[in-house]
C-alpha cells in the first residue's frame, strides 16, 4: 500500500472521477484521505458535489479535497527573485521591474500551472496530516512537464544563485577593502533558494519511490487513447516514475440488443486487448460505463468498487 497515488492520462478520460472514487473508497475503509486536484481546469468539486477550494476542505468524514490555486506556485517562485533583487539593491545594484522580470525568467521559466502543481505536491507530500494522498493530475502534456519541473526549477534557481554569489563576493571584497575583514557579509541564515532546491529534490525522490508512490494511467478503450497511454507509460518510465496500473474507464459491459453498442463494444474489446499485450506487466482494471452524470456519492461508490485502494 503506497501512501501517494497519482492519476494521469489524456483529457476527458475521467481522471478526476476515478481519483475522487479512489479517495471515497479509501476514506470508507478508515483512511484519512486527501484528494488533490492539480489540473488547472478543476472539476473535483463537481465530482464530489461539494465546495472545494485552495485549502483542504472536508467533504465527508475521512475524505478531504483541495484544488491547487495556480497562482500559489508562481507567487512563491517570484518572491524568491524579488528578495534577490532587494539584496542587489542593498549592494547598490538597482533593478527596475523589467529587469526583475528578466531575472525571474532566467534559465527556463516553468508555467504557472506546473508550478502550482509541484507546489501542491510538495505541500502535501511533506505533510503527515493524511494517511493517503490521491493526486488528480492535469492532461498528459502538463503531467510530463510537471515531472520535469524539479530539474527545470533547479536550472533556473542555480542561475540565480550563481549570480547572487557573484554579487556577494564583489560586495564582500569591497567591504573588506574599505573596513577590514570584520565587515564581510555573514551568510549563516537560512537560504530560500537552497530550501526550494531541496524541497523540489524531495518531491522528485518521492515521485520515484515505488514504496511510497504509485502512478495509475487512466484511459478509455479507444485506439487514440490507447496509443497515448502507451506513450505516457514510456515517458513515465524514462522519468523512473513507478507506473503500476492501467484504469480503463467507460467500458461497455453488456451491449444487449443494440447493434451500434455491440459494434462499439467490439472496438473496445480490441483496444483493451491491445493494452493487455503492449503493457502486460501492468495491472489492468476496467470501470464500466456509467449512464448520466458521474457525480455524487452513489456514482463514486459504483466506480470505487472496481478500483483497489
Amino acid at each position: 500500500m503506497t501512501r501517494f497515488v497519482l492519476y494521469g492520462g489524456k483529457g476527458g478520460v475521467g481522471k478526476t472521477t476515478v481519483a475522487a472514487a479512489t479517495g471515497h473508497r479509501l476514506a470508507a475503509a478508515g483512511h484519512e484521505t486527501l484528494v488533490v486536484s492539480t489540473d488547472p481546469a478543476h472539476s473535483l468539486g463537481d465530482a464530489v458535489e461539494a465546495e472545494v477550494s485552495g485549502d483542504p476542505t472536508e467533504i465527508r468524514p475521512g475524505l478531504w479535497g483541495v484544488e491547487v490555486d495556480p497562482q500559489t506556485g508562481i507567487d512563491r517562485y517570484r518572491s524568491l527573485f524579488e528578495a534577490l533583487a532587494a539584496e542587489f539593491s542593498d549592494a547598490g545594484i538597482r533593478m527596475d521591474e523589467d529587469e526583475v522580470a528578466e531575472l525571474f525568467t532566467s534559465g527556463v521559466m516553468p508555467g504557472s500551472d506546473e508550478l502550482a502543481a509541484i507546489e501542491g505536491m510538495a505541500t502535501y507530500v511533506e505533510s503527515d496530516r493524511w494517511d493517503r494522498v490521491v493526486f488528480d493530475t492535469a492532461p498528459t502534456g502538463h503531467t510530463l512537464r510537471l515531472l520535469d519541473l524539479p530539474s527545470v526549477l533547479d536550472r533556473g534557481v542555480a542561475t540565480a544563485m550563481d549570480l547572487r554569489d557573484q554579487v556577494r563576493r564583489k560586495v564582500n571584497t569591497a567591504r573588506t577593502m574599505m573596513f577590514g575583514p570584520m565587515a564581510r557579509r555573514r551568510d549563516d541564515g537560512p537560504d530560500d533558494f537552497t530550501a526550494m532546491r531541496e524541497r523540489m529534490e524531495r518531491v522528485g525522490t518521492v515521485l520515484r519511490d515505488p514504496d511510497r508512490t504509485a502512478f495509475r494511467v487512466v484511459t478509455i478503450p479507444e485506439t487514440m487513447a490507447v496509443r497515448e497511454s502507451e506513450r505516457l507509460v514510456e515517458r513515465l518510465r524514462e522519468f523512473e516514475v513507478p507506473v503500476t496500473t492501467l484504469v480503463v474507464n467507460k467500458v461497455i459491459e453488456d451491449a444487449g440488443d443494440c447493434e451500434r453498442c455491440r459494434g462499439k463494444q467490439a472496438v473496445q474489446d480490441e483496444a483493451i486487448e491491445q493494452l493487455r499485450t503492449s503493457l502486460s506487466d501492468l495491472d489492468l482494471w476496467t470501470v464500466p460505463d456509467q449512464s448520466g452524470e458521474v457525480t455524487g456519492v452513489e456514482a463514486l461508490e459504483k466506480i470505487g468498487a472496481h478500483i483497489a485502494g
Side-chain angles (χ1 to χ4, degrees), residues 2-9 15 18-19 22 26 34 36 38 117-118 121 125 132-138 143 146-147 203 206-209 212-218 232 236 241-247 285:
T2 60
R3 182 160 181 252
F4 305 105
V5 176
L6 284 77
Y7 282 106
K15 294 186 301 296
V18 171
T22 301
L26 289 169
L34 174 68
V36 182
T38 66
I118 202 74
M121 282 190 173
V125 160
R132 305 289 297 278
V133 182
V134 180
F135 290 97
D136 166 31
T137 70
T143 299
L146 166 66
L147 294 174
V203 172
V206 169
L207 287 176
R208 290 164 175 79
D209 184 353
R212 289 184 283 178
T213 299
F215 196 107
R216 300 172 181 173
V217 175
V218 183
L232 175 56
L236 290 169
V241 173
V243 189
T244 62
T245 309
L246 296 166
V247 181
W285 304 338

Side-chain angles (χ1 to χ4, degrees), residues 167-199:
V167 170
R168 285 182 176 180
R169 284 195 296 271
K170 290 179 181 178
V171 169
N172 279 334
T173 298
R175 287 178 175 175
T176 299
M177 291 177 63
M178 293 184 65
F179 305 111
M182 296 301 292
R184 291 178 60 86
R185 174 194 172 100
R186 296 186 178 275
D187 299 317
D188 299 329
D191 186 322
D192 289 339
F193 280 101
T194 300
M196 172 170 268
R197 294 182 80 179
E198 291 175 349
R199 196 173 194 222

Side-chain angles (χ1 to χ4, degrees), residues 64-80:
W64 298 69
V66 61
E67 295 180 337
V68 175
D69 181 358
Q71 194 60 36
T72 302
I74 208 81
D75 287 347
R76 182 182 180 90
Y77 190 65
R78 187 181 182 92
S79 67
L80 295 178

Side-chain angles (χ1 to χ4, degrees), residues 4-291:
F4 305 105
V5 176
L6 284 77
Y7 282 106
K10 73 187 296 290
V13 296
K15 294 186 301 296
T16 300
T17 303
V18 171
T22 301
H24 180 77
R25 181 181 177 88
L26 289 169
H31 303 287
E32 285 286 313
T33 303
L34 174 68
V35 180
V36 182
S37 172
T38 66
D39 187 340
H42 294 301
S43 58
L44 178 59
D46 295 331
V48 298
E49 293 185 332
E51 290 292 331
V52 179
S53 67
D55 295 313
T57 304
E58 188 170 24
I59 298 165
R60 56 187 56 91
L63 178 61
W64 298 69
V66 61
E67 295 180 337
V68 175
D69 181 358
Q71 194 60 36
T72 302
I74 208 81
D75 287 347
R76 182 182 180 90
Y77 190 65
R78 187 181 182 92
S79 67
L80 295 178
F81 289 87
E82 290 175 340
L84 183 59
E87 183 175 331
F88 288 177
S89 178
D90 290 342
I93 302 173
R94 305 295 176 185
M95 301 182 73
D96 59 27
E97 290 187 6
D98 290 339
E99 289 171 321
V100 173
E102 184 177 352
L103 178 63
F104 177 45
T105 56
S106 62
V108 181
M109 178 58 201
S112 61
D113 295 341
E114 288 80 29
L115 271 172
I118 202 74
E119 177 65 20
M121 282 190 173
T123 298
Y124 300 114
V125 160
E126 294 177 339
S127 172
D128 294 327
R129 168 64 182 81
W130 292 276
D131 303 324
R132 305 289 297 278
V133 182
V134 180
F135 290 97
D136 166 31
T137 70
T140 301
H142 284 275
T143 299
L144 293 174
R145 289 194 297 273
L146 166 66
L147 294 174
D148 195 39
L149 190 52
S151 61
V152 170
L153 278 175
D154 190 69
R155 292 194 294 272
V157 169
T159 300
M161 290 178 70
D162 181 62
L163 181 58
R164 181 199 61 186
D165 291 344
Q166 290 180 45
V167 170
R168 285 182 176 180
R169 284 195 296 271
K170 290 179 181 178
V171 169
N172 279 334
T173 298
R175 287 178 175 175
T176 299
M177 291 177 63
M178 293 184 65
F179 305 111
M182 296 301 292
R184 291 178 60 86
R185 174 194 172 100
R186 296 186 178 275
D187 299 317
D188 299 329
D191 186 322
D192 289 339
F193 280 101
T194 300
M196 172 170 268
R197 294 182 80 179
E198 291 175 349
R199 196 173 194 222
M200 294 302 103
E201 184 177 342
R202 287 195 296 273
V203 172
T205 298
V206 169
L207 287 176
R208 290 164 175 79
D209 184 353
D211 292 330
R212 289 184 283 178
T213 299
F215 196 107
R216 300 172 181 173
V217 175
V218 183
T219 188
I220 53 177
E222 296 177 0
T223 302
M224 290 184 63
V226 166
R227 289 174 180 168
E228 181 164 334
S229 297
E230 291 170 339
R231 289 193 293 269
L232 175 56
V233 170
E234 181 181 356
R235 292 299 310 280
L236 290 169
R237 286 172 170 167
E238 290 174 4
F239 282 108
E240 300 180 352
V241 173
V243 189
T244 62
T245 309
L246 296 166
V247 181
V248 186
N249 195 20
K250 304 180 182 180
V251 176
I252 298 173
E253 291 192 322
D254 183 8
D257 296 328
C258 171
E259 184 176 349
R260 178 175 174 274
C261 300
R262 286 200 300 269
K264 186 172 182 180
Q265 185 176 18
V267 171
Q268 289 193 351
D269 290 344
E270 185 177 336
I272 292 172
E273 187 57 33
Q274 169 64 26
L275 284 172
R276 291 191 191 279
T277 301
S278 63
L279 299 170
S280 58
D281 56 323
L282 300 181
D283 292 333
L284 189 149
W285 304 338
T286 58
V287 178
D289 191 31
Q290 307 288 320
S291 61

